[in-house]
């Protein structure tokens, strides 16, 4: 079933009014017709709708009923150290599929990639488009936010300000899995979870100490060294299964 996202203000009086680029896609690409059903998500709600009318400016649909939300009971934010090449695109796509509420690119000491303001603006637009596409494909109830690039210090400062009650930083020099087990066991009580992942060069020791001082818990992901594009997805997958009651 086709899936579209709208702003909450586009839902009123038992109808949804779709505008913008989706109108052309619905009319001329999908060739949708009155009576055809599709899914709309707006403000975290999932609605089953049926097309009532289509014109050059909008598609109006009747709401048939509400669907169960696809979102996790806790919001997981991935603070991803800037990786090389186009790895960030893969990370965003898969993180959205695994239920991340948002992805924040982080400029760390060992990151090879340095984005100037012009490049950052262009990358953010592309990354947000990838997040929306992945959200549609995975039938998410919302489109995760791709935040602007933060310094590591700025990212750490968000922990108290934004109320993260579980804060994790997988670190290759951390030994033993006890802290990891304890942290994952606490995830069911959390409302907002932060996961910090280093770039290819890993975290600098001073960054880990700064994180520790802000209540961000260093944890191990096992005996093997994971690539930056693997580590965050491994944590997200484990948290997703635990929050969904799978493990």
């Amino acid at each position: 079933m086709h899936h579209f996202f709208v702003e909450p203000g586009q839902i009123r009086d038992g109808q949804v009014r779709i505008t913008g680029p989706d109108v052309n896609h619905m009319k001329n690409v999908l060739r949708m017709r009155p009576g055809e059903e599709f899914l709309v998500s707006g403000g975290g709600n999932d609605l089953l709708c049926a097309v009532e009318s289509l014109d050059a400016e909008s598609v109006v649909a009747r709401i048939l009923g509400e669907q169960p939300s696809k979102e996790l009971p806790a919001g997981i934010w991935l603070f991803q150290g800037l990786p090389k090449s186009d790895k960030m695109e893969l990370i965003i796509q898969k993180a959205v599929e695994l239920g991340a509420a948002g992805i924040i690119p982080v400029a760390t000491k060992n990151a090879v990639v340095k984005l100037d303001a012009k490049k950052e603006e262009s990358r953010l637009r592309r990354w947000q488009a990838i997040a929306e596409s992945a959200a549609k494909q995975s039938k998410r109830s919302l489109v995760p936010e791709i935040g602007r690039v933060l310094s590591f210090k700025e990212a750490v400062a968000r922990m108290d300000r934004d109320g993260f009650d579980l804060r994790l930083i997988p670190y290759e020099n951390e030994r033993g899995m006890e802290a990891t087990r304890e942290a994952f066991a606490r995830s069911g009580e959390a409302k907002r979870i932060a996961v910090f992942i280093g770039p290819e060069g890993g975290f600098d020791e001073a960054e880990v100490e700064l994180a520790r001082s802000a209540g961000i818990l260093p944890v191990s992901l096992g005996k093997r060294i994971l690539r930056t594009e693997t580590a965050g997805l491994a944590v997200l997958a484990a948290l997703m299964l635990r929050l969904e009651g799978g493990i």
Side-chain angles (χ1 to χ4, degrees):
M1 183 176 292
H2 301 302
H3 187 193
F4 301 93
F5 288 92
V6 298
E7 296 297 325
Q10 294 173 255
I11 306 171
R12 57 184 301 174
D13 300 328
Q15 290 183 322
V16 176
R17 184 181 182 85
I18 296 174
T19 58
D22 282 337
V23 174
N24 179 67
H25 187 66
M26 295 173 79
K27 286 182 59 182
N28 301 320
V29 179
L30 301 177
R31 298 187 179 278
M32 298 181 74
R33 295 292 180 261
E36 190 167 347
E37 296 181 2
F38 61 98
L39 189 67
V40 163
S41 296
N45 297 316
D46 292 331
L47 305 170
L48 179 64
C49 301
V51 176
E52 284 195 332
S53 64
L54 307 90
D55 60 35
E57 301 297 327
S58 66
V59 174
V60 176
R62 180 176 76 261
I63 297 174
L64 302 178
E66 192 164 344
Q67 303 288 298
S69 174
K70 310 299 191 306
E71 296 307 308
L72 296 173
I76 308 174
W77 288 72
L78 178 63
F79 290 81
Q80 173 67 50
L82 282 171
K84 294 186 291 187
S85 169
D86 57 357
K87 291 179 183 178
M88 193 67 173
E89 297 184 5
L90 172 69
I91 291 168
I92 289 171
Q93 183 188 66
K94 301 309 176 186
V96 171
E97 292 177 24
L98 290 168
I103 299 101
I104 307 296
V106 181
T108 63
K109 182 176 180 180
N110 294 334
V112 175
V113 175
K114 308 294 181 185
L115 296 181
D116 58 33
K118 188 173 181 180
K119 283 185 179 179
E120 179 180 342
E121 185 178 344
S122 173
R123 292 279 180 91
L124 287 177
R125 284 198 301 268
R126 175 161 176 75
W127 290 343
Q128 190 65 58
I130 290 170
E132 181 171 350
S133 177
K136 287 180 179 179
Q137 181 275 323
S138 57
K139 297 294 187 287
R140 292 286 301 271
S141 299
L142 54 81
V143 178
E145 174 192 345
I146 310 302
R148 69 177 184 86
V149 179
L150 301 180
S151 68
F152 189 81
K153 186 176 181 180
E154 288 173 326
V156 169
R158 287 190 56 167
M159 294 302 97
D160 288 333
R161 190 192 76 192
D162 292 350
F164 286 99
D165 41 5
L166 181 59
R167 311 162 184 184
L168 306 176
I169 182 166
Y171 182 44
E172 65 269 19
N173 291 334
E174 195 68 19
R175 293 292 179 263
M177 296 296 287
E178 188 58 35
T180 309
R181 282 193 294 270
E182 291 178 1
F184 277 60
R186 289 165 44 204
S187 63
E189 304 167 2
K191 295 300 181 185
R192 288 174 69 84
I193 301 172
V195 178
F196 281 74
I197 300 294
E200 286 85 356
F203 286 115
D204 182 77
E205 286 187 17
E207 291 173 330
V208 176
E209 288 309 309
L210 176 62
R212 199 190 303 268
S213 71
I216 304 172
L217 180 67
V219 295
S220 171
L221 296 183
K223 298 175 182 179
R224 294 153 302 283
I225 299 297
L226 303 182
R227 291 177 180 270
T228 185
E229 66 268 31
T230 307
L233 302 184
V235 176
L236 286 171
L239 287 171
M240 176 194 72
L241 289 172
R242 193 166 190 94
L243 292 168
E244 297 272 30
I247 56 175

